[in-house]
Amino acid sequence: MQLFMRFQVWPSRLEENMSTSPVGTRILNTFYPIHIGVIGGTPTRIIQLIIGMIPLILLFKGGIMWWNRRKLLQTQLPRKSSVIH
């Protein structure tokens, strides 16, 4: 049993379906090779990896900025007492 179907195995079947399928299906089918990284080879895969890592980097950077601001505010502002004098 073949676990992975290579893109080069089924283009003839894809072309037959492309001529008879609706426009929306044809547009979505053109995104699949880009999604699996077939188009463009290794440079495209590296670019996709970098773009995919950007949200993770922003998440950690935002967390670090929040933590630093929280520590700064705790050291600069005196704590308010809940007891009214």
Side-chain angles (χ1 to χ4, degrees):
M1 184 167 114
Q2 185 179 2
L3 295 177
F4 300 104
M5 186 167 65
R6 294 182 58 108
F7 181 72
Q8 291 82 11
V9 174
W10 48 276
S12 62
R13 190 179 81 203
L14 182 66
E15 289 171 3
E16 291 172 6
N17 291 339
M18 290 291 267
S19 62
T20 60
S21 62
V23 175
T25 304
R26 287 186 277 182
I27 291 171
L28 289 176
N29 285 340
T30 57
F31 291 128
Y32 182 71
I34 297 170
H35 175 74
I36 63 173
V38 173
I39 294 178
T42 305
T44 304
R45 289 181 184 176
I46 292 171
I47 292 170
Q48 289 176 342
L49 175 69
I50 292 169
I51 291 172
M53 295 297 285
I54 288 174
L56 184 64
I57 292 168
L58 290 174
L59 174 72
F60 283 116
K61 187 174 178 179
I64 291 170
M65 290 171 63
W66 170 80
W67 184 261
N68 288 337
R69 181 177 296 208
R70 184 174 162 232
K71 284 180 12 182
L72 180 68
L73 289 175
Q74 285 179 351
T75 58
Q76 285 184 349
L77 297 176
R79 292 194 172 234
K80 294 182 180 180
S81 175
S82 60
V83 179
I84 300 175
H85 294 282

